[in-house]
Amino acid sequence: MNKVILMGRLTRDPEVRYSQGDNSLAIARYTLAVDRRFAKSNNANGEQTADFISCVAFGKAAEFAEKYLRQGIKIAITGRIQTGSYTNRDGVKVYTTEVVIEEQEFAESKNSSSNANAGGADFAGNNSRPVPSAASGDGFMSIPEGIEDELPFA
């Protein structure tokens, strides 16, 4: 079985190209910075605490990446590892490894990602969404008084 599940942040905006021909296909490439789970707390030796994973998406997934994904956004992906090789201009054989995206989704709220990117707008640049109230000490948001009847799970 070849199945990969990753969560990380985009290191830069996706690079999107379209194939030529009558049925052009979107192809998006991006790199995910994935934190190592058991990174040493002492990083004085300059040891890497994240891995940088090359990812490629095709078709609708690539169009989604082009429209919504930006540098710094935290996403979760599933896919498969694909290896390959080619000979570069100097005649040296280069081996490649990348994750072919099957599914991708946001791993944090728009407010979290936009606050991390020093903004308050959604991906379309709108500020129409209200900002939730601050979390209480237990990590949950406080529900305002008098709206119990409006909650779907009361």
Side-chain angles (χ1 to χ4, degrees), residues 123-137:
F123 294 124
N126 300 321
N127 287 319
S128 59
R129 218 168 158 197
V131 177
S133 61
S136 63

Side-chain angles (χ1 to χ4, degrees), residues 10-147:
L10 272 71
T11 60
R12 63 175 187 259
D13 291 354
E15 178 184 312
V16 181
R17 296 183 181 181
Y18 288 84
S19 64
Q20 297 179 359
D22 293 336
N23 297 327
S24 68
L25 179 70
I27 303 166
R29 294 186 180 279
Y30 55 83
T31 302
L32 272 186
V34 179
D35 288 332
R36 290 187 177 166
R37 189 170 190 171
F38 300 107
K40 294 181 180 179
S41 59
N42 181 2
N43 197 18
N45 297 335
E47 294 175 19
Q48 188 175 337
T49 60
D51 292 301
F52 298 89
I53 313 294
S54 297
C55 301
V56 62
F58 297 97
K60 295 285 186 194
E63 292 170 8
F64 176 88
E66 179 179 36
K67 188 172 182 180
Y68 296 109
L69 302 185
R70 296 290 174 259
Q71 178 179 351
I73 290 178
K74 188 174 191 178
I75 63 170
I77 64 157
T78 60
R80 61 183 168 82
I81 292 180
Q82 179 172 289
T83 60
S85 65
Y86 64 93
T87 304
N88 68 11
R89 293 179 183 149
D90 299 328
V92 177
K93 193 164 191 171
V94 177
Y95 295 93
T96 62
T97 303
E98 59 191 2
V99 174
V100 177
I101 304 297
E102 294 169 356
E103 296 178 31
Q104 56 194 348
E105 60 187 67
F106 298 104
E108 64 185 358
S109 69
K110 289 181 184 181
N111 287 334
S112 295
S113 64
S114 61
N115 288 341
N117 293 322
D122 63 17
F123 294 124
N126 300 321
N127 287 319
S128 59
R129 218 168 158 197
V131 177
S133 61
S136 63
D138 59 3
F140 292 97
M141 289 184 358
S142 300
I143 297 175
E145 295 290 329
I147 67 164

